[in-house]
Amino acid sequence: MALARTEALPQAGGWRVRVPSPSRVALYQVLLLAALLGAWEIAIRTGVLAVYLYGQPSGVFAKGWTLLLSGELLRDSALTAWEAIAGFAIGTVCGSAAGLLLWLFPTGAAVLRPYMIALNGLPKIALAPLIIVWFGIGLGSKIAIAAIITFIVALITAQQGAKEVDADLVKLMRSLGAGRLRTWRTVIVPGAMPWIVSAFRLNVGFALIGAVVGEYIASKEGLGYMIYYAGVLYDLNAVWVGIAALMAVALAMYGAIDWIERRLRG
């Protein structure tokens, strides 16, 4: 299998763009990670960096292996992933639907606009204590925080996507006698889909933020709690393990969104 392919379309000046194959990209990614970890390990061993301030890759791997064997890492990762996914699904689906529906009610959209702007600008973390009081310290509060954070992002993005649909298509539908609801269903919703999928990608990080913040404030399990507790004990290797697990969850969620996008396009 060739490691690189040449793009068929020539660029300005007669140059052709060489696009690396997925296997070569993956190799570069692994080499970059290995180089960063190697430089980090060398810096610790030579005393350039203090291990008690930065941790150590070999120590991170050892700690991660220990937590994996004990089952603690998988348990905490699964819990945080569930909180983030549930909050993401509730907030993104409801927010996207509400944003699209606002196209049907322009007066309502105008009335709600300042409230949407204010809620979007509000640091959602400020709502966390209230949500903990309303939903308790269990799973529901973490899902609620993630859902609220993702809802407003999906709402604003979907509404903007609906507004950006080609006005000529809307005029064409009206000239053909289509009503507002039919225009919304056949033109606005499909046309706003790229914006909605973009909101999906943004909300992966926001959903994880909501879950982790909830675990910081009131929890005794989950990756957020693991990172917080390890930081209090200055166990930086465990902190890095928790961060790496969060990154793995985020990558898995991004992969799921890529799959959904391919299905929508197909």
Side-chain angles (χ1 to χ4, degrees):
M1 180 183 293
L3 289 180
R5 66 178 187 273
T6 302
E7 186 68 38
L9 295 177
Q11 302 299 309
W15 290 92
R16 291 179 179 271
V17 177
R18 293 184 61 84
V19 180
S21 66
S23 58
R24 174 166 288 187
V25 171
L27 175 62
Y28 291 159
Q29 291 169 342
V30 171
L31 290 176
L32 176 60
L33 179 61
L36 292 173
L37 293 177
W40 181 7
E41 182 75 23
I42 292 172
I44 294 295
R45 291 181 179 271
T46 57
V48 175
L49 297 177
V51 67
Y52 66 88
L53 289 177
Y54 298 96
Q56 186 174 4
S58 57
V60 173
F61 284 115
K63 187 68 176 183
W65 182 249
T66 300
L67 293 173
L68 188 62
L69 290 179
S70 69
E72 183 179 349
L73 181 59
L74 290 178
R75 183 199 69 203
D76 288 341
S77 297
L79 179 63
T80 301
W82 168 243
E83 294 165 350
I85 291 170
F88 170 88
I90 295 170
T92 302
V93 170
C94 293
S96 298
L100 290 172
L101 286 171
L102 285 177
W103 185 87
L104 291 170
F105 307 99
T107 301
V111 171
L112 292 175
R113 180 172 176 76
Y115 297 98
M116 292 163 52
I117 294 174
L119 184 58
N120 185 49
L122 174 72
K124 311 308 181 295
I125 295 176
L127 299 174
L130 289 175
I131 295 172
I132 297 296
V133 171
W134 294 337
F135 292 90
I137 63 173
L139 190 68
S141 59
K142 286 71 173 179
I143 294 175
I145 295 172
I148 289 173
I149 293 176
T150 55
F151 175 84
I152 188 62
V153 174
L155 172 67
I156 291 177
T157 304
Q159 186 198 21
Q160 186 63 35
K163 290 169 61 177
E164 293 294 331
V165 172
D166 191 349
D168 290 335
L169 290 177
V170 177
K171 292 178 181 178
L172 176 62
M173 292 295 292
R174 289 175 180 171
S175 67
L176 294 174
R180 191 168 182 83
L181 182 60
R182 186 174 182 182
T183 301
W184 177 82
R185 188 175 64 252
T186 58
V187 174
I188 299 301
V189 173
M193 275 301 160
W195 290 74
I196 292 174
V197 173
S198 176
F200 284 4
R201 298 184 187 282
L202 288 173
N203 275 340
V204 167
F206 288 130
L208 284 170
I209 289 173
V212 170
V213 166
E215 291 171 352
Y216 274 5
I217 295 175
S219 182
K220 290 188 177 180
E221 53 187 348
L223 292 176
Y225 173 76
M226 174 196 292
I227 293 171
Y228 174 78
Y229 187 70
V232 170
L233 297 178
Y234 273 79
D235 186 358
L236 297 191
N237 290 332
V239 171
W240 282 113
V241 171
I243 292 173
L246 281 175
M247 294 172 67
V249 172
L251 287 173
M253 292 179 68
Y254 272 112
I257 290 172
D258 285 339
W259 179 82
I260 293 172
E261 185 177 11
R262 289 194 298 269
R263 291 295 298 269
L264 290 175
R265 288 180 176 178

